[in-house]
């Protein structure tokens, strides 16, 4: 540790506090079992009992109001000058220096009070003063480090992933406003692999949804509603990165703005307008997302005539599935109606909860189930007969298309029967 840099509030101060934070959190149950392990457990006492006793005892009593601090109730230290000598020669001490500290709310703000107790036969008053003075300097250095922009996360802040401190700092450099780091679900892992494999070619997992809007549309209000979506859903603010060990993670950013385009085609006649809309949609469908840059969703509002619009939403499938899209559209329209006020909407159940649930699943049991289901399958399984090779063709640029039409009641019944018969 570079002490000069640490006392100057430099990076060493941040490294020190992060290291101590992780050490303290690694102690089981805040060290409550130490005495039992050192003296009463026959297996551990022989190892721990010969070790030297700690020389400093530090106890932070928390934050007190003025009434509690003044009452000196039981465990609250008496309000005396900060340094106290133990004058009774026969009184044993548990440590060379005993520090009790607490934050007291006063009329002028919060104050940190500390009491330092020491045996004068071991330390001189000058020694105790010097140690207390260095402690105050260290606190000031940590404050200066934080005020100058220092901070950041440590491994214990991310309970869903196992990251080393260097890996976290690497992610923070790439994404300074990260608030959380998540693992990927198995399906997300597969989609990220395909997205990275596609590289410059078409990503098959780009999803485009087009809505026709009729009536007066306030474009700025609609854009505010779109920006309110990632504020509600953290998984719409994720970027997909690789940590220092090459493992894929999704980094949640604190805030993102949805990419937004507005295009006015009202001056074009119907034929030219239809061609231009088709061109814009096709161009948008093949424009890939940078998986390392959030958000992986964008909107395009096309004015086609007075009070007629086409709203196009494009996202990567790694963010949303087909079941979620209608819910997202419903939220968008509700936020538009409420001037981006989310209060009419239900409370969000975070995607993080799903990932935490996934981690608790018994993966070995899942593998056993699939092994039984696939027992006897020795090679690729043909799902559909008559397939003629790669549907994407030689270029790999095939785009799925959708035709919408109405069926009469008889046709609908026949279709339902066929689908049910095929399972």
């Amino acid at each position: 540790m570079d002490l000069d840099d640490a006392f100057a509030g430099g990076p060493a101060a941040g490294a020190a506090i992060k290291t101590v934070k992780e050490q303290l959190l690694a102690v089981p149950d805040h060290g409550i079992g130490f005495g039992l392990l050192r003296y009463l457990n026959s297996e551990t006492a022989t190892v721990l009992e010969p070790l030297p006793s700690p020389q400093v005892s530090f106890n932070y009593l928390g934050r007190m109001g003025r009434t509690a601090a003044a009452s000196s109730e039981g465990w609250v230290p008496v309000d005396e000058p900060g340094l106290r000598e133990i004058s009774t020669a026969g009184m044993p001490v548990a440590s060379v220096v005993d520090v009790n500290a607490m934050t007291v709310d006063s009329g002028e703000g919060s104050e940190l009070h500390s009491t330092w107790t020491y045996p004068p036969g071991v330390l001189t008053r000058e020694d105790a003063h010097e140690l207390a003075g260095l402690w105050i300097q260290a606190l000031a250095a940590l404050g200066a480090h934080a005020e100058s922009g220092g901070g950041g996360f440590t491994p214990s802040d991310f309970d869903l992933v196992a990251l080393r401190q260097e890996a976290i700092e690497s992610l923070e450099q790439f994404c300074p406003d990260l608030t959380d780091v998540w693992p990927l679900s198995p399906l997300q892992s597969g989609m990220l692999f395909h997205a990275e494999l596609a590289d410059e070619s078409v990503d098959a997992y780009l999803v485009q949804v087009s809505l026709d809007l009729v009536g007066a549309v306030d474009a700025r209000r609609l854009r505010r509603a779109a920006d309110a979506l990632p504020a509600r859903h953290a998984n719409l603010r994720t970027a997909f990165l690789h940590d220092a060990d090459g493992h894929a993670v999704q980094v949640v950013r604190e805030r993102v703005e949805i990419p937004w385009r507005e295009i006015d085609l009202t001056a074009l006649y119907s034929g030219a307008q239809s061609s231009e809309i088709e061109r814009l949609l096709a161009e948008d469908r093949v424009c890939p997302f940078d998986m390392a840059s959030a958000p992986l969703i964008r909107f395009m509002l096309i004015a086609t005539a007075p009070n007629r619009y086409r709203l196009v939403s494009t996202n990567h499938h790694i963010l949303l599935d087909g079941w979620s899209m209608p819910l997202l559209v419903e939220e968008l329209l509700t936020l538009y109606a409420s001037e981006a006020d989310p209060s009419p909407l239900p409370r969000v159940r975070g995607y993080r909860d799903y990932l935490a649930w996934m981690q608790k699943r018994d993966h070995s049991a899942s593998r056993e189930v699939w092994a039984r289901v696939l027992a006897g399958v020795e090679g690729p399984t043909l799902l559909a007969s008559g397939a003629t090779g790669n549907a994407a063709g030689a270029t790999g640029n095939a785009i799925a298309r959708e035709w919408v039409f109405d069926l009469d009641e008889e046709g609908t019944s026949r279709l339902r029967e066929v689908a049910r018969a095929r399972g």
Side-chain angles (χ1 to χ4, degrees), residues 152-279:
F153 294 96
T154 62
S156 61
D157 294 317
F158 305 129
D159 58 325
L160 297 184
V161 292
L163 293 174
R164 295 177 289 109
Q165 185 63 46
E166 311 88 84
I168 293 174
E169 291 171 0
S170 175
L171 292 175
E172 287 175 324
Q173 287 181 354
F174 194 88
C175 187
D177 66 339
L178 73 85
T179 61
D180 206 351
V181 181
W182 299 341
L184 277 64
S185 71
L187 194 58
Q188 284 183 310
S189 298
M191 289 181 179
L192 180 62
F193 171 77
H194 282 287
E196 293 173 337
L197 194 65
D199 196 16
E200 298 300 323
S201 62
V202 174
D203 188 341
Y205 289 107
L206 260 61
V207 179
Q208 189 182 76
V209 174
S210 182
L211 301 174
D212 288 320
L213 306 179
V214 178
V217 173
D218 186 332
R220 284 186 294 180
R221 182 172 165 184
L222 189 57
R223 182 173 186 176
R224 288 197 302 272
D227 280 330
L229 291 172
R232 277 178 51 80
H233 300 279
N235 57 303
L236 297 182
R237 305 193 303 269
T238 55
F240 294 82
L241 306 173
H242 292 273
D243 64 21
D245 297 320
H247 301 128
V249 293
Q250 47 184 324
V251 173
V252 184
R253 292 185 55 193
E254 183 176 13
R255 184 177 180 277
V256 298
E257 282 190 7
I258 298 287
W260 180 272
R261 292 176 65 192
E262 292 181 28
I263 300 170
D264 188 351
L265 300 182
T266 56
L268 298 181
Y269 66 90
S270 59
Q273 187 182 93
S274 298
S275 298
E276 181 62 11
I277 290 175
E278 282 298 315
R279 187 193 68 80

